[in-house]
Amino acid sequence: MYDVQKIRADFPILSREVNGKPLTYLDNGASAQKPQVVIDAVTQAYSMEYSNVHRGLHFLSNLATDKYESVRGKIATFLNASDESEIVLNSGTTEGINLVAYGWAMPRMEAGDEIILSVMEHHANIVPWHFLRERQGVVLKWVDVDAEGNLDPQAVLDTITPRTKLIAVTQCSNVLGTVVDVKAITNGAHAQGVPVLVDGSQGSVHMPVNVADIGCDFYAITGHKLYGPSGSGAIYIKSERMAEMRPFIGGGDMIREVSKDAVTYNDPPMKFEAGTPGIVQTIGFGVALDYLMDLGMQNVAAHEAMLRDYTVSRLNGLNWLHVQGTTHDKAAIFSFTLDGAAHAHDISTILDKKGVAVRAGHHCAGPLMDFLGVTATCRASFGLYNTKAEVDTLIDALELAHDLFA
Ligand code: PLP
């Protein structure tokens, strides 16, 4: 049974107060809080088990290396990748997508080649592709969402032309919570020979992920949203694609031999991991994944679906509040605006006074904001430890904000 109070007790920060009120943390879409097991693992790694990895032959280096390397397998299990060699460890989704842009896309794309993006991508899945547009004349083709904020897989597939070299889409919008059928997109794209990159930064947090079933070529995740340390993350890369990639960042660890005249590279995935990595962050990330797998992502998804439906039922009573996008079949992420002159920042400041942490702004999704015709929204994004009582606290705080600005 999913015991949310027991789970909350695992997260020390949830018992603190903010502005004299109990913390109601609804900014999980930006970054999630950490359970004590992750905090303990980080402390243990720094206090008793720290050394650089891969390089030394001494006890501590071997210990740190074993702990660090074991995370690759945990990520492969979490994502259901067929082999841990398909997992490149990194600092998060942004680095993962940049690796694909520089290592895979840049060497194989020419002026006039096309990349298809949805209008609801995060800047992390936009700006690296703009680099290709600016530097080599690659054309970015945008697919709109419908009035409910849903992305029709067929609309994506209809955009493919003989020049299409990649589709890059999110599995879950960080603004609307919309879930995208990335499997349908991948199936259709592969039938036309087009690889697919999935931004799993939000999707992996809210639902069980099975990259083998999705069939995608690249799937990027980020540790700090998965209840792990910031500066940790990974990207799943199908072995055929990895074999096509050039290294991106050069330095130690990713090489086999270096001389004045030549360099040879380590085997993948190490070929794509240069320099001293986020050793402790990655070890903590592994513990966070253990925590999630113990809870079961299916159970997390069911709990969050309950919170989503309850939130919808409470928001429905507020006719001065406008939720952007769909309210069903999505992750428990709500972006909204309020009638009247109140700016999203003012609303979030009032909520903060009540101890409610939400995000306000463009949420790193400029094209989506343009599409929606807004400059900013407030976003309440739920996580595995949130409760119905916290939804009520949010609604009370919103009513207060509305009264103040009405
Ligand atoms: N993609 C999505 C959908 C996101 O929500 C985020 C973070 O908010 C990112 C990518 C970037 O993740 P990171 O900053 O951890 O690299």
Side-chain angles (χ1 to χ4, degrees):
M1 190 196 124
Y2 197 90
D3 183 345
V4 72
Q5 292 306 333
K6 187 162 167 284
I7 289 166
R8 289 179 71 77
D10 293 336
F11 291 79
I13 204 169
L14 297 181
S15 60
R16 71 160 288 170
E17 293 193 341
V18 166
N19 292 324
K21 307 280 182 218
L23 170 65
T24 300
Y25 188 76
L26 301 179
D27 195 18
N28 297 284
S31 201
Q33 301 298 347
K34 319 304 170 200
Q36 189 65 51
V37 281
V38 168
I39 299 166
D40 288 347
V42 167
T43 306
Q44 171 72 5
Y46 273 130
S47 52
M48 298 306 289
E49 298 174 348
Y50 185 75
S51 174
N52 210 330
V53 290
H54 298 145
R55 303 187 189 163
L57 289 175
H58 58 84
F59 177 87
L60 281 180
S61 182
N62 290 336
L63 181 62
T65 302
D66 286 350
K67 288 214 158 186
Y68 174 81
E69 278 299 326
S70 72
V71 179
R72 213 182 284 281
K74 289 179 190 184
I75 296 168
T77 305
F78 184 72
L79 297 178
N80 197 36
S82 58
D83 195 273
E84 66 178 59
S85 63
E86 295 181 311
I87 305 296
V88 175
L89 299 171
N90 58 29
S91 62
T93 298
T94 302
E95 188 181 335
I97 297 175
N98 274 275
L99 169 64
V100 177
Y102 281 88
W104 184 81
M106 272 186 191
R108 59 195 336 98
M109 291 197 195
E110 296 171 354
D113 285 342
E114 297 165 357
I115 299 174
I116 297 175
L117 305 169
S118 92
V119 77
M120 66 182 166
E121 299 311 313
H122 185 281
H123 294 166
N125 196 25
I126 297 176
V127 180
W129 311 121
H130 270 307
F131 290 168
L132 274 86
R133 181 189 60 74
E134 286 174 345
R135 294 173 196 185
Q136 24 197 117
V138 167
V139 177
L140 305 187
K141 295 181 82 178
W142 298 90
V143 184
D144 283 345
V145 291
D146 66 17
E148 285 221 296
N150 290 315
L151 183 67
D152 178 5
Q154 195 54 48
V156 176
L157 299 175
D158 288 346
T159 312
I160 294 176
T161 75
R163 296 302 302 267
T164 304
K165 291 289 189 300
L166 180 70
I167 295 172
V169 280
T170 190
Q171 188 179 26
C172 173
S173 163
N174 63 308
V175 180
L176 306 175
T178 312
V179 175
V180 175
D181 188 347
V182 287
K183 181 176 175 180
I185 291 173
T186 304
N187 282 343
H190 283 181
Q192 301 185 63
V194 178
V196 176
L197 176 142
V198 177
D199 175 349
S201 189
Q202 298 287 342
S204 60
V205 182
H206 300 294
M207 62 192 96
V209 173
N210 185 335
V211 289
D213 182 54
I214 296 170
C216 58
D217 299 84
F218 309 96
Y219 188 98
I221 61 173
T222 215
H224 67 93
K225 294 186 205 285
L226 284 159
Y227 307 91
S230 57
S232 63
I235 182 162
Y236 157 82
I237 303 177
K238 209 179 243 182
S239 51
E240 299 100 282
R241 295 287 89 71
M242 215 181 292
E244 295 168 351
M245 281 171 55
R246 281 199 206 154
F248 164 34
I249 297 176
D253 252 21
M254 50 79 76
I255 51 83
R256 193 178 296 288
E257 279 176 38
V258 182
S259 69
K260 284 183 181 161
D261 305 317
V263 54
T264 55
Y265 301 115
N266 216 328
D267 291 332
M270 301 283 287
K271 184 176 177 182
F272 306 105
E273 298 173 4
T276 300
I279 301 164
V280 176
Q281 294 93 317
T282 301
I283 291 170
F285 182 26
V287 174
L289 292 180
D290 287 341
Y291 184 85
L292 287 172
M293 289 189 275
D294 280 352
L295 281 181
M297 286 306 292
Q298 203 63 54
N299 299 326
V300 170
H303 176 73
E304 292 184 5
M306 179 278 292
L307 287 174
R308 175 199 62 211
D309 294 344
Y310 183 64
T311 307
V312 171
S313 73
R314 294 295 324 265
L315 290 176
N316 278 343
L318 312 180
N319 60 8
W320 36 265
L321 184 145
H322 305 287
V323 175
Q324 302 286 345
T326 183
T327 50
H328 51 85
D329 295 330
K330 68 164 195 168
I333 299 174
F334 295 88
S335 280
F336 51 84
T337 51
L338 265 57
D339 277 350
H343 189 276
H345 289 132
D346 299 327
I347 295 164
S348 72
T349 304
I350 292 168
L351 299 192
D352 186 48
K353 296 270 176 286
K354 294 288 169 192
V356 181
V358 298
R359 186 142 292 243
H362 56 56
H363 313 294
C364 295
L368 181 61
M369 293 289 124
D370 291 344
F371 178 83
L372 296 172
V374 294
T375 50
T377 67
C378 268
R379 181 187 69 184
S381 50
F382 292 83
L384 57 82
Y385 37 59
N386 289 122
T387 64
K388 284 168 87 172
E390 290 183 305
V391 176
D392 294 337
T393 305
L394 168 70
I395 302 294
D396 290 348
L398 285 169
E399 280 173 337
L400 175 75
H402 175 246
D403 289 347
L404 283 173
F405 288 111

